[in-house]
């Protein structure tokens, strides 16, 4: 069973709480909005702690060190693909224009023999919680509910 871990950054705004999400890169998500946004996260092996993986993956996916601050455990969710995702929330600000996303390679188009490189996250943005709920990977919406339990 695959496992991922990530960090959900959040900040107060005049309109209420906002969360930072990344739009998944690559051709499968290029024209999608709903269900194509995720917390910055990534897979880890059993010998790595989920917390260490969440911090490592944040840096790999955004090209920035993870922020300092109090981390609030948001628990786990199981996505429809069976992957278990563990997340922590940290109140912090980040300018999306400063990211330098990591990349991945895949054969594209399928069965073409051509390898292409794509960004892990092709863009990052701040969303109000309700708007985030409309675009985030369905199972990850539970993290938004859990964040609300811990935020003013």
């Amino acid at each position: 069973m695959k496992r991922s871990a990530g960090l959900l950054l959040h900040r107060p705004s005049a309109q209420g709480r906002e969360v930072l999400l990344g739009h998944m890169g690559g051709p499968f998500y290029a024209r999608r909005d709903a269900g194509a946004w995720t917390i910055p996260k990534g897979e880890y092996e059993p010998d790595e702690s989920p917390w260490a993986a969440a911090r490592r993956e944040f840096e790999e996916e955004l090209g920035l060190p993870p922020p300092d601050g109090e981390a609030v455990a948001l628990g786990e969710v199981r996505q429809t693909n069976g992957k278990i995702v563990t997340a922590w929330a940290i109140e912090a600000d980040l300018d999306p224009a400063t990211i330098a996303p990591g990349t991945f390679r895949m054969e594209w188009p399928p069965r073409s023999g051509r390898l292409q490189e794509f960004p892990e996250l092709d863009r990052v943005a701040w969303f109000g919680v309700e708007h985030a709920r409309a675009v985030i990977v369905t199972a990850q919406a539970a993290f938004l509910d859990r964040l609300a339990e811990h935020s003013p």
Side-chain angles (χ1 to χ4, degrees):
M1 176 180 325
K2 292 186 177 185
R3 293 186 162 270
S4 284
L7 301 178
L8 176 62
L9 267 53
H10 62 100
R11 68 182 185 186
S13 76
Q15 294 76 38
R17 184 101 357 225
E18 293 181 325
V19 294
L20 185 77
L21 300 178
H23 186 269
M24 291 182 272
F28 297 123
Y29 299 99
R31 291 183 172 85
R32 290 182 53 194
D33 201 41
W37 292 81
T38 181
I39 65 170
K41 62 166 184 52
E43 292 182 10
Y44 64 95
E45 297 299 322
D47 62 343
E48 184 178 20
S49 79
W51 172 245
R55 295 180 55 79
R56 174 183 52 75
E57 286 292 337
F58 185 93
E59 189 155 2
E60 285 180 13
E61 294 213 345
L62 300 182
L64 300 169
D68 293 324
E70 180 186 350
V72 175
L74 299 177
E76 297 180 340
V77 298
R78 181 185 299 272
Q79 297 184 158
T80 55
N81 62 4
K83 183 183 289 183
I84 303 291
V85 180
T86 305
W88 287 265
I90 298 178
E91 186 171 325
D93 203 356
L94 180 149
D95 179 355
T98 63
I99 72 157
T103 60
F104 69 96
R105 294 173 59 89
M106 67 179 281
E107 182 181 12
W108 191 257
R111 296 178 296 285
S112 67
R114 258 183 56 207
L115 285 179
Q116 291 193 49
E117 195 166 284
F118 299 97
E120 295 269 357
L121 300 173
D122 58 22
R123 60 191 183 276
V124 174
W126 288 99
F127 291 89
V129 173
E130 288 312 308
H131 186 195
R133 189 177 307 286
V135 297
I136 197 168
V137 171
T138 304
Q140 293 180 28
F143 295 140
L144 303 175
D145 298 334
R146 296 171 193 169
L147 173 64
E149 296 170 9
H150 296 284
S151 299

